[in-house]
Amino acid sequence: MLLIYALQTALRKVGDYVIRRCDETDLPAVIDINMAALPEHYSDYFFEAILKELPEAFIVAEINGKLVGYIMCKIEFGFSNFRKLGFVKKGHVVSVAVLEDHRGKGLGKALMLEGINGVLQRKADEIYLEVRVSNTGAVKMYEKIRFETKSRLKSYYRDGEDAFLMALELS
Ligand SMILES: CC(C)(COP(=O)(O)OP(=O)(O)OC[C@H]1O[C@@H](n2cnc3c(N)ncnc32)[C@H](O)[C@@H]1OP(=O)(O)O)[C@@H](O)C(=O)NCCC(=O)NCCS
């Protein structure tokens, strides 16, 4: 029954993994993945609010009923990272992570591509993210899907590390 449900709602499959939209009942598992994989944590309310705001781009990776990865994004209005005039509609990748044992199988990329599809459904002109300058694995992944490094944000993180601002033009 569970399997049938997962297949019905799959956006795509990566081997035996199902990539699908996040549901409210998935949030405790998403929060666990965030705690295990990243130093940036958020309140439960923050995850709930992002899911309500942009469910199209809150995506999870699942295998045998267990969540192993997620991406969550927001829509914002602001200056373009591609020198477009005026304000543009921008997707913002707030957080993306895959549990360590499940990395290197294409899940990060699949989550990113479905997150991008989600912000495209809201007609965003571009999408951007911040990434620690030391996080070479994530930077490589973003470059593989054609994100460009646009700037370096000084002491962006609480511990003082800089971030790269990376962006992808969608229209
Ligand atoms: C970054 C992260 C999401 C990548 O997930 P993943 O499932 O291992 O990534 P994928 O297997 O889909 O890899 C996608 C591409 O990026 C490249 N890549 C991913 N991790 C890499 C690494 N550590 N070193 C070099 N290249 C890497 C892969 O080679 C792959 O290229 P390909 O498409 O040509 O095969 C994962 O490492 C992670 O959760 N890290 C901890 C959390 C984190 O840093 N999140 C990003 C915060 S900004």
Side-chain angles (χ1 to χ4, degrees):
M1 183 66 181
L2 259 182
L3 180 67
I4 292 166
Y5 178 73
L7 286 175
Q8 278 171 342
T9 56
L11 295 166
R12 66 173 74 198
K13 289 207 73 191
V14 178
D16 289 335
Y17 296 87
V18 172
I19 308 296
R20 62 166 175 83
R21 267 161 74 157
C22 181
D23 181 83
E24 221 174 306
T25 58
D26 295 321
L27 287 180
V30 167
I31 292 167
D32 285 349
I33 298 168
N34 171 259
M35 292 297 276
L38 280 163
E40 286 73 44
H41 305 138
Y42 316 95
S43 67
D44 294 5
Y45 173 76
F46 184 75
F47 287 91
E48 285 162 21
I50 300 255
L51 179 59
K52 279 212 177 78
E53 198 179 302
L54 193 56
E56 297 94 328
F58 200 142
I59 312 290
V60 294
E62 179 183 44
I63 188 160
N64 299 329
K66 176 184 154 69
L67 292 201
V68 299
Y70 72 90
I71 183 170
M72 58 182 189
C73 306
K74 289 173 73 166
I75 291 285
E76 298 168 1
F77 292 88
F79 291 115
S80 169
N81 287 300
F82 294 91
R83 296 171 182 268
K84 288 180 183 154
L85 289 180
F87 270 19
V88 294
K89 201 178 205 182
K90 301 191 283 191
H92 183 188
V93 179
V94 178
S95 187
V96 55
V98 173
L99 286 178
E100 203 163 353
D101 287 353
H102 301 268
R103 290 180 193 160
K105 297 169 189 255
L107 295 177
K109 189 171 163 183
L111 288 166
M112 285 296 298
L113 294 178
E114 289 304 335
I116 291 168
N117 274 341
V119 304
L120 270 171
Q121 286 170 41
R122 296 289 184 102
K123 303 203 176 348
D125 302 294
E126 48 197 74
I127 183 165
Y128 78 100
L129 55 84
E130 298 89 6
V131 55
R132 286 178 181 267
V133 294
S134 64
N135 195 348
T136 47
V139 170
K140 282 261 172 342
M141 177 176 77
Y142 300 137
E143 284 173 346
K144 291 236 160 129
I145 46 182
R146 308 206 171 198
F147 273 75
E148 299 167 30
T149 300
K150 289 295 177 181
S151 59
R152 183 171 177 135
L153 309 173
K154 273 280 179 212
S155 300
Y156 178 80
Y157 294 99
R158 277 194 186 177
D159 60 9
E161 184 169 350
D162 294 356
F164 289 128
L165 188 151
M166 300 183 76
L168 173 70
E169 202 167 10
L170 300 175
S171 64

